[in-house]
Amino acid sequence: SQVPLSSQQLVYASRDAWAGAAVMENLGRDCRDGMHVDIIAKMVQENERDMVEVDERARRRKKARVKSKGILADAKEMAFEMDPNKKVRLKDLMSSAEKEEMDRLQIILDETA
């Protein structure tokens, strides 16, 4: 590590310190019985997703992201074919079914974030 720290290292360190402080503040508020390690571990375990659920969410999110990118790519291609120099809202080029699908995919992305 270099001394003095680079700007990037300082930003990383400050975010790390902020995250730790935020976690401790939330734990202090949520752990009315104190902050004993066993109480904190139990709280984490109760809120932790199992690996099957994590994998399912990740697969669902990836599928939605890929499909969304495909719809956007088709709209970009259509816009380029119309006029490569004109800026256009891609959603304006989509059919109502594509817009509905994009909305549905966005819900999935929001739910699995």
Side-chain angles (χ1 to χ4, degrees):
S1 151
Q2 68 185 44
V3 177
L5 297 176
S6 69
S7 294
Q8 187 177 9
Q9 289 171 315
L10 287 170
V11 168
Y12 181 84
S14 63
R15 285 183 183 160
D16 196 35
W18 177 87
V23 166
M24 292 307 293
E25 180 181 339
N26 287 334
L27 286 174
R29 183 179 57 238
D30 296 342
C31 291
R32 289 173 182 41
D33 297 330
M35 292 184 43
H36 188 273
V37 69
D38 293 334
I39 294 169
I40 294 171
K42 182 180 177 190
M43 187 177 76
V44 168
Q45 288 173 342
E46 288 172 353
N47 295 318
E48 188 174 12
R49 292 184 177 103
D50 65 21
M51 289 309 296
V52 172
E53 183 182 353
V54 169
D55 181 62
E56 181 182 296
R57 289 170 64 93
R59 288 174 189 269
R60 191 169 175 229
R61 182 172 179 76
K62 183 175 183 177
K63 188 176 178 181
R65 196 170 51 245
V66 167
K67 190 159 187 182
S68 176
K69 285 182 180 181
I71 294 170
L72 286 173
D74 290 346
K76 284 179 186 177
E77 187 176 327
M78 188 184 308
F80 185 78
E81 288 172 359
M82 291 172 58
D83 186 348
N85 299 315
K86 183 179 179 185
K87 291 198 179 233
V88 63
R89 285 190 44 193
L90 297 179
K91 210 161 188 176
D92 292 341
L93 300 175
M94 294 179 193
S95 68
S96 59
E98 289 171 321
K99 289 177 188 177
E100 287 176 17
E101 181 65 358
M102 287 295 287
D103 290 342
R104 186 186 74 80
L105 294 170
Q106 186 59 54
I107 290 169
I108 292 171
L109 293 171
D110 292 343
E111 289 174 348
T112 58

